[in-house]
Amino acid sequence: MQGLPVIAKALRFLIVWPGKDAIIRNMPKVFKHSRTYQKTRVIIDCSEVFIKRPSNLLAHNVTYSNYKHHNTIKFLVGITPVGAISFLSKCWGGRVSDKELTISSGFLDLLEYDDQVPNYKLRCEYLHVTVMTCVHAIVLECDMMSSWIYPGNG
């Protein structure tokens, strides 16, 4: 496991957040001709990986996933409509909610006005982003979740 951080650091350059113009220029036809997904910027999903049960009680508590009924690490992955990985968060303990991980990961800071972000767990319902510059907030609206208000960097 000691070599894994070295490999991760060496391959980090492969994860690039493309500009909106690059996304639009390379948009697959299935997205481009869809009324629902033509403004898709990135598709996100939180993934979990099983880990060995930690002997430390605090670590066990933080990594225990009620969803998986096992100790896990969790991370947020974003892929472009063409399938390139464009975002990868740091790992969190499996107990963290997908919502909390998404808000705390820095992912929302990358979004721009009118970006749509389909989410696999929401059965491809999408989060529509509106930037409210007067309060420096991003409001995410989704049919399956209550609205989130996330303060921006302002």
Side-chain angles (χ1 to χ4, degrees), residues 126-130 139-143 145-148:
Y126 63 88
L127 305 174
H128 188 84
V129 178
T130 306
V139 178
L140 301 177
E141 300 169 359
C142 181
D143 295 338
M145 300 174 87
S146 59
S147 295
W148 304 346

Side-chain angles (χ1 to χ4, degrees), residues 101-114:
L101 198 160
T102 302
I103 289 171
S104 300
S105 69
F107 168 76
L108 299 177
D109 297 332
L110 299 171
L111 299 177
E112 298 176 29
Y113 178 78
D114 215 23

Side-chain angles (χ1 to χ4, degrees), residues 88-119:
L88 183 62
S89 73
K90 292 182 178 179
C91 291
W92 291 63
R95 182 169 294 273
V96 70
S97 71
D98 290 4
K99 178 178 175 179
E100 183 179 347
L101 198 160
T102 302
I103 289 171
S104 300
S105 69
F107 168 76
L108 299 177
D109 297 332
L110 299 171
L111 299 177
E112 298 176 29
Y113 178 78
D114 215 23
D115 284 351
Q116 291 177 347
V117 183
N119 179 299

